Structure formats: structure tokens, C-alpha cells
Amino acid sequence: MESTLKNCLESNRLSMQDAARVLGVDKSQIVKICTQKYPNWKDKETEYVKLLKDAGYKNSIAQKIKIDTDVLVLTRSVTRFQNLADDLIDPTGTMSSSIGMAIGTAERGKTHCAKWYVQNNPNAAYVLYVDGSTKTQLLRDVCEAVAHTRPHSFGDCLEVLEENCKYARRLVIIDEADKLPVRYLEILRAVNERCQLPFMLVGEEGLKVKTDRVPRLRSRIRKPIVLFEVAKAVDVAAYYHEAAGIDITLETAERLARHAMGGFRSIVNDSIAISKMSKASGLSTITDNMLEKLCA
């Protein structure tokens, strides 16, 4: 167990020599208490910590800012995404127009939201479309996400998906779907109908432009389409509350939101940078100096 006196010194940035001078004792005594080698060291430690506290020093080590980047802040966009995904995956819901869509420019948190949803819903699967994939590779990726297998042929993929969707409503989230060629979107529409498999297409705004041009696709899109908006100061404040357990002022949240230009990924990256500054400085709050360094 680490010495409470040692923690007290670290918290107040006191050297053992400084502490000895404040307490009016020899430095060697402080060293022995901190290393738990002094006779009845616990009693002396309690006494000296109290004396330092009475002298105006803190008796506990400051907590650094620690960021949990995996948290999901329930912004308006995230809530709409969850509601749409829940609607698509509901086994009692209709399969009519059962292709959902979530769009927004880069860094708005679409991927983070999609992965979080899949982690918390066993009947949801995540697929990242890789530009240049063949149609068979795309369906293999879907099969792997849904059934943990990669069939050899396109036809085999359809059979696997049909079989797996007989027993439970599944939802496949296709990320970076704005890169999908229109003919691939048509394939997903056909798979959706044949296999009774709902899809959620996630991508940048160009995705909607593609589907709007093809009536058969446009008519299959479930409303409302989710638009991931720019992160606002209130969203930044909520993120730091959830990710770090600290409450920041509205002014600080606004500065952080402006620096990140509303991008969720930039907000997360900034929080990591601030966490490193906190570790270096020993401070557990976001200071103006940290913000100035971040924005320099």
C-alpha cells in the first residue's frame, strides 16, 4: 500500500526536504515514514498528514483527467439513429421500406455511433464497405457479420442470409455506404427484399443523392433519414461529463467546440491531448493555459 504521506507530498508538490522543514523534523524521518521503515510509522504518518493539512496543504493526491473515449453521448443525432435502428430491427415491425439511412460529413460520430449500437444489440451487425470490393466480396462481408462465415459464391451468400434471417430479425449497418456504386445499392435492395434483411446505410451526404436518383431505391428508404449535425457546446460538455467525469463551463465547452469545428472525432482527439496535459501538470481541471496550448 502506498504511503498516504507520500501521496500528500506529491499532491502538494512538496519535496521530502520541504516537508521536513514545514514539520520541523529531519528529512531522514520523512524518508523512513514514506518507505514504511520508521517505527510505528502509521501513527507518525497520520500525525504528519494532519499537521500538513492544518498548515494548508491538501491531504490527498489530485486526480488527473482520464478520458474514456468509448462513451457515447446521447446527442439529438445519436438518439435519432438509435430510434431508427430500433425500428428497423423490431421483429414486429414492417419490412416495407426497411432500408435506413444516416448521413453527415466526416467526423460527426456516425461510425462511433454505429459500432456502439452493434456492441449493444446482438442482432445487429457492422460492415465497413471497402471501396473497390466486388459484389461477392460485399456479400461475403455481410455473411461474415451476420453468420460468421464467408461463402464461396454470390449464390451461396444469398442462401446463407436467407437461412439466417428465417429465425430472427437482423440489422446490417453498412458504413461508408456513400462509396457504394449504384448497382451495389441495387443489390442490397434486392437482398433486403429476398432475405427479409433490413439495412442501415451510413455515409456522407452524397449517399442520399445516389438513392434519390433511382426511384426503386428512394422508395425503400425508411423515414426519417438521420442527419448527423455539428456538435454543439452542450454536446461537448456532455462528452466531458460522461468521458471524464468532470463538468466544464459553457465558455470552455464553446471554445472546445469551435476548435473542433463541430467534429466529434476532433473533440475526442482534443480530449486525449488535454488528458496528457493534465498528467504532465498534475491538474484535474481544464485550465486556460491548457486551452491556449491546444488551440495554438
Side-chain angles (χ1 to χ4, degrees), residues 193-209:
E193 292 187 12
R194 175 169 170 172
C195 302
Q196 297 293 287
L197 176 61
F199 287 99
M200 173 81 90
L201 304 178
V202 178
E204 298 191 18
E205 285 89 341
L207 174 61
K208 185 175 183 299
V209 175

Side-chain angles (χ1 to χ4, degrees), residues 119-247:
Q119 288 173 356
N120 289 275
N121 291 273
N123 285 333
Y126 174 87
V127 172
L128 173 66
Y129 173 68
V130 178
D131 198 9
S133 296
T134 66
K135 63 182 183 181
T136 302
Q137 286 173 327
L138 173 60
L139 281 199
R140 283 176 180 164
D141 289 342
V142 173
C143 285
E144 184 172 24
V146 171
H148 310 294
T149 183
R150 295 184 68 84
H152 178 69
S153 70
F154 188 89
D156 291 340
C157 288
L158 288 176
E159 289 181 7
V160 166
L161 293 175
E162 278 187 298
E163 185 65 23
N164 272 268
C165 293
K166 285 180 180 178
Y167 309 105
R169 178 74 63 86
R170 310 298 298 271
L171 171 66
V172 177
I173 300 175
I174 309 287
D175 200 3
E176 298 196 12
D178 54 295
K179 297 179 181 179
L180 283 163
V182 172
R183 66 183 186 279
Y184 284 24
L185 290 169
E186 286 273 32
I187 289 171
L188 292 178
R189 176 195 60 77
V191 172
N192 164 254
E193 292 187 12
R194 175 169 170 172
C195 302
Q196 297 293 287
L197 176 61
F199 287 99
M200 173 81 90
L201 304 178
V202 178
E204 298 191 18
E205 285 89 341
L207 174 61
K208 185 175 183 299
V209 175
K210 285 183 179 181
T211 58
D212 281 349
R213 290 173 181 167
V214 184
R216 281 184 301 189
L217 287 173
R218 184 175 63 243
S219 65
R220 300 308 196 280
I221 303 301
R222 177 76 59 90
K223 300 297 190 294
I225 293 172
V226 177
L227 175 63
F228 274 75
E229 303 170 322
V230 172
K232 301 177 177 62
V234 64
D235 301 323
V236 176
Y239 170 75
Y240 277 88
H241 179 79
E242 295 294 330
I246 61 174
D247 295 317

Side-chain angles (χ1 to χ4, degrees), residues 76-125:
R76 183 167 59 177
S77 300
V78 168
T79 300
R80 288 174 176 171
F81 182 99
Q82 289 180 310
N83 290 341
L84 178 56
D86 286 345
D87 191 33
L88 290 167
I89 208 171
D90 182 359
T92 65
T94 177
M95 280 297 297
S96 176
S97 301
S98 53
I99 300 177
M101 184 181 295
I103 57 175
T105 58
E107 293 198 12
R108 295 289 170 81
K110 303 183 298 299
T111 296
H112 183 63
C113 180
K115 289 182 176 179
W116 183 92
Y117 187 86
V118 170
Q119 288 173 356
N120 289 275
N121 291 273
N123 285 333

